[in-house]
């Protein structure tokens, strides 16, 4: 079957299709947009990607993304250093920060326990977490891992490890989304919403 477009365009399409959430049609829209607009748009994108790959690394303290040794949150002296939220990925920090309700610090595990996928504690940032708890004045650890099997397993495992430190451990409440209908909620979510109810 003859090729319908130049090989360089196909090569770029193939690269975009490798990105998460980008299918053939989305890749095609992006590539054609880049081709049909000023070259400066493509150049800015290429420069931004190169700069991110060269300059962004993991924070030496919490494993969030950072441009300096510490990420902006760890470097912020106004944060409450007595509270630590443990999350799976850096993107989870972004989600929590958008709520503007948490002013503590974070620790990124780099994933969640999943024996079926060969991910154990040694593949996660568990040892640095334990060292951090031993050396700081953290009084509460909040487990903000995903409310799925892997997230629950990870939170339970870490809670057992942290217990000897005498540090309070809590789990994010999970329940019904705002604007949702009860009839569409699954049993686990609805059950948790009932268990985590609060006085009004």
């Amino acid at each position: 079957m003859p090729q319908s477009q130049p090989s360089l365009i196909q090569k770029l399409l193939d690269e975009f299709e490798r990105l998460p959430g980008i299918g053939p049609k989305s890749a095609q829209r992006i590539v054609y947009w880049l081709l049909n607009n000023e070259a400066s748009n493509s150049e800015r994108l290429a420069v931004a990607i190169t700069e991110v790959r060269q300059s962004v690394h993991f924070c030496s303290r919490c494993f969030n993304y950072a441009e300096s040794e510490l990420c902006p949150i760890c470097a912020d002296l106004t944060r409450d250093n007595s509270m630590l939220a443990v999350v799976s990925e850096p993107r989870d920090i972004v989600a929590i920060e958008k709520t503007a309700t948490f002013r503590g610090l974070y620790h990124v595990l780099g994933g969640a326990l999943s024996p079926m996928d060969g991910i154990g504690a040694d593949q996660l940032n568990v040892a640095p977490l334990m060292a951090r708890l031993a050396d700081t004045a953290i009084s509460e650890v909040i487990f903000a891992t995903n409310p799925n099997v892997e997230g629950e397993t990870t939170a339970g495992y870490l809670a057992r490890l942290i217990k000897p430190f005498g540090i309070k451990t809590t789990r994010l409440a999970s329940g019904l989304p705002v604007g949702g209908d009860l009839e569409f909620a699954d049993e686990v979510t609805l059950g948790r919403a009932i268990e985590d109810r609060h006085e009004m």
Side-chain angles (χ1 to χ4, degrees), residues 89-153:
E89 303 289 349
R91 63 176 173 262
D92 300 328
I93 294 177
V94 176
I96 294 172
E97 286 295 294
K98 282 181 181 177
T99 69
T101 57
F102 180 71
R103 290 292 302 162
L105 300 175
Y106 295 92
H107 187 86
V108 181
L109 294 171
L113 293 174
S114 180
M116 295 288 288
D117 298 318
I119 302 174
D122 292 342
Q123 283 73 49
L124 304 176
N125 298 318
V126 174
L129 172 63
M130 296 301 115
R132 192 173 175 189
L133 294 177
D135 293 339
T136 58
I138 293 167
S139 59
E140 180 179 0
V141 173
I142 304 165
F143 296 113
T145 52
N146 290 329
N148 55 24
V149 173
E150 292 82 5
E152 296 291 343
T153 301

Side-chain angles (χ1 to χ4, degrees), residues 43-56:
E43 290 163 5
R44 279 197 308 274
L45 176 61
V47 167
I49 291 171
T50 301
E51 287 178 345
V52 162
R53 294 301 303 165
Q54 290 176 345
S55 303
V56 176

Side-chain angles (χ1 to χ4, degrees), residues 3 10 42 57 59 77 87-88 102 132 154 175 182 188:
Q3 193 167 327
Q10 187 59 53
S42 302
H57 52 267
C59 172
L77 298 178
V87 299
S88 296
F102 180 71
R132 192 173 175 189
T154 303
L182 290 183
V188 174

